[in-house]
Amino acid sequence: MADAKTAKAAKKPGFFKELLTFLLVIAIILGIASGAIFYLSGKNLDDLLGSRPVAKKETNQSAPVSPVSTGQEAGTNQQSNAVPVTPGGNSATDVAMPAAYPVETAGQQSNVVQPEQPALPTQKGSLKGTITWQYNDFVGTKPDVNARILLIRTDFDKNTITDVEEGVFAIGLAPKNSGLFAVKANGYGNYEIGNLPVGEYHIMVVSEQTTRNIDLPVDEYPITKLKPYIQKWDAFLSLSLMDKKYQVSTITIEEGQTLDFSHDFGNTYF
């Protein structure tokens, strides 16, 4: 009975058309579902792998800039060097300007201030000695207290001091920064002058305790040695050598050495 009903239904004209429509709908639904699955699976894969870099072709490459550069690169479009300025007078964009450095070119002096070089130390030496005299045959040798020891460099220029300074030097005091040196013997007859620039000097020792015969002229030797360095020779002579015994010699001060120059004036004239 049932088979008879199915056979009748199959014989109906619209049965096959409805069947094809049903199958087509099923196919469309399956296609859409498979496409959605494929899309979702591909998106998850991108999320897992991350974005992949895409190589880009660079058309304008920067050329190396030479040491003397105008700020524009070769091979690129040059831009205008005009910078917009705001009404306040400042640049519209904050551009860091390079610091200026001194440039030294041929034929020009450098504007870099060179540190001052320290002066080379002057070579020094020293002088010392003992000045004595003979009191009599019984007492014998005694210190020539306050005997004057005067030093004049052989390259001294007499025009560098005044007449007054020259008179001060004659009595045993060296003017400050004059290049002259003077000292007096102490109570033991000893003296010492340190920090003497090396070189040649004329030394004149004038006794304080002994006198000479003033009827005799001053020897030619001290006049020859000392007069070229003295402006007022007669005044200098009366203050130093006129009535006292004296000793004039030429000595050499050497670096790091102490020269001993001692002298005994013997008995006084009166």
Side-chain angles (χ1 to χ4, degrees), residues 70-142:
T70 61
Q72 296 174 338
E73 296 178 345
T76 61
N77 295 328
Q78 297 182 352
Q79 298 180 352
S80 172
N81 57 0
V83 180
V85 180
T86 61
N90 297 326
S91 173
T93 58
D94 295 333
V95 180
M97 300 301 293
Y101 294 95
V103 178
E104 183 175 0
T105 58
Q108 296 180 350
Q109 294 183 352
S110 172
N111 57 356
V112 178
V113 178
Q114 298 293 337
E116 184 178 353
Q117 298 295 330
L120 295 177
T122 304
Q123 296 175 340
K124 300 293 183 64
S126 57
L127 174 70
K128 70 175 183 178
T130 303
I131 309 303
T132 56
W133 67 291
Q134 300 298 315
Y135 186 81
N136 55 38
D137 294 338
F138 300 99
V139 176
T141 305
K142 291 180 69 69

Side-chain angles (χ1 to χ4, degrees), residues 58-62 75-77:
E58 296 182 359
T59 57
N60 296 328
Q61 297 181 352
S62 299
T76 61
N77 295 328

Side-chain angles (χ1 to χ4, degrees), residues 154-188:
T154 55
D155 58 357
F156 176 73
D157 182 1
K158 64 182 179 181
N159 296 314
T160 59
I161 61 174
T162 65
D163 296 347
V164 174
E165 290 175 329
E166 190 174 86
V168 170
F169 178 64
I171 62 175
L173 298 174
K176 187 176 180 180
N177 299 324
S178 65
L180 299 171
F181 299 89
V183 69
K184 293 184 178 182
N186 62 18
Y188 298 97

